[in-house]
Amino acid sequence: MNSRNRELTAKRKKKRSNRFESTRKRFYRNTGIVQNETNWEVTLDHRRLKTPNGQVLIVRSEPLARAIAAEWDAQNEIIAQPIMHLTALCNTALDNPGKITSHDITSYLIDYFPTDTLLFHSEEEEELKNLQQIKWGPVLEWFQNRYNIIQEVSRKLMPPPVTTETRAVLARHFLSYSFPALNALSFGVEALKSPILMLACVDRHLDPHEAVLLARLEEEYQLTRWGRVPWAHELNQAELTARVSAALLVIQCTSESYSATAKTTNTNSSEERITQ
Amino acid sequence: MASITSKPALVTLRQLLYELRQQSSTKRLSENQMVLYIFNQYRKHQTTDQQLCKAAEEMHYRAKTYYNYLHYARKYKEINTEFKGKGERSLQETANMVGFKLPHDPKP
């Protein structure tokens, strides 16, 4: 009896794991969004989109909900979940599988900061050193002016010293974001390997495309000498840019600072409205 | 600079529409909810033309970001499908490659 039970659970587990590993086919025709007061939900053929934990996927912003609906609409035949970054970021923010708080992410980012790509300048190659000075210099200057701090760069393997004031300023800034935004921010930082570049993007100082080029500066420099391979370098660049842009969209949509409100209000906006 | 009817903003609009046409499952672009929303937003910010307006600037940046997202996600998919491996060869195929026959094949 006992062994049979065990067998059954093993079988069930296998089945479940198979379900997640196998690619799912598109099972819906249309995607849409539903407004429910200030919350927005995504629908697949009138069924509500849910997170892996089974909660209904709720976002606070209309453009984000529309972008997620468009993302599901873009799947033809097979649902390519690994590259649906917007959905994934919203899922993670809602489910919080790591059971982490904003403080955890902040301390992680503060620990990450000394190893920022932009703080490591080449010592050996003169040409690369000049390139880094030209390309990274303005961003570093912008960063220091924006947060009113002074940050040294490293020319060796050891990370440069970071003062306690810098840590405090950055921590305060990171904590001002909401949890979904902060989660997206750390996703973007991990893609760029640089909190400075991500913060520059959030402040609209750089485009995601430019930021990825700056993050891959050394690789780009080496590529001019050794040649470019599409299935490695271009694939990597495309993936990083998609990741960073997705993170930025989530940050912008979840923390709208200067968003404009229309003067003429719709009379039917308070009621639940279904848009296809 | 902050105007949404400026040339760069319209270039972004055209790029966005191109990407959405590539990925949309609806036949006509005017049926796509995202396209309608984008047009709506562009029209809404048209009124703040010649002023330095943060909302319009923010909107253009968001449009650019969204374009980047759609474009590079598509590019990633394309490169991936082009260079993706087919998996392992079957026993039969490998045998054929080196001119062997499988044991149960009848000898000529």
Side-chain angles (χ1 to χ4, degrees), chain A residues 39-76:
Chain A
N39 293 332
W40 297 81
E41 289 166 16
V42 180
T43 56
L44 309 173
D45 279 346
H46 300 290
R47 271 173 301 185
R48 300 193 289 183
L49 181 62
K50 287 183 178 171
T51 66
N53 267 7
Q55 299 181 58
V56 176
L57 184 87
I58 293 173
V59 288
R60 285 297 177 94
S61 119
E62 182 186 355
L64 190 57
R66 284 184 184 277
I68 294 174
E71 191 174 61
W72 281 84
D73 186 40
Q75 308 302 317
N76 38 14

Side-chain angles (χ1 to χ4, degrees), chain A residues 26 62-63 66 69-71 73-74 83 85-86 201 204 206-209 231 235 238 241-242 245-246 248-249 252 256 258, chain B residues 23-26 31-34 37 44-45 54-55 57-58 61-62 64-66 68-69 72-73 75-77 79-80 83:
Chain A
R26 178 168 171 152
E62 182 186 355
R66 284 184 184 277
E71 191 174 61
D73 186 40
I83 52 171
H85 298 306
L86 289 178
C201 282
R204 305 202 300 275
L206 289 173
D207 276 355
H209 176 69
W231 49 261
L235 188 77
T241 318
S245 336
L248 271 179
L249 280 173
Q252 287 166 358
E256 281 167 294
Y258 327 103
Chain B
Q23 66 158 41
S24 168
S25 67
T26 48
E31 286 165 9
N32 190 306
Q33 47 91 14
M34 197 68 205
Y37 178 76
K44 205 162 105 187
H45 287 84
K54 276 202 166 142
E57 208 180 86
E58 191 179 89
Y61 186 80
R62 193 184 293 176
K64 271 194 292 188
T65 311
Y66 190 47
N68 268 326
Y69 178 58
Y72 284 103
K75 212 170 154 193
Y76 175 80
K77 229 181 193 173
I79 301 172
N80 213 4
F83 292 101

Side-chain angles (χ1 to χ4, degrees), chain B residues 20-52:
Chain B
L20 284 167
R21 188 176 288 126
Q22 296 274 314
Q23 66 158 41
S24 168
S25 67
T26 48
K27 274 190 203 127
R28 286 167 58 201
L29 213 50
S30 56
E31 286 165 9
N32 190 306
Q33 47 91 14
M34 197 68 205
V35 173
L36 296 178
Y37 178 76
I38 289 170
F39 272 131
N40 211 343
Q41 289 293 305
Y42 263 80
R43 279 198 199 104
K44 205 162 105 187
H45 287 84
Q46 221 172 29
T47 44
T48 57
D49 214 1
Q50 299 294 319
Q51 291 169 352
L52 180 79

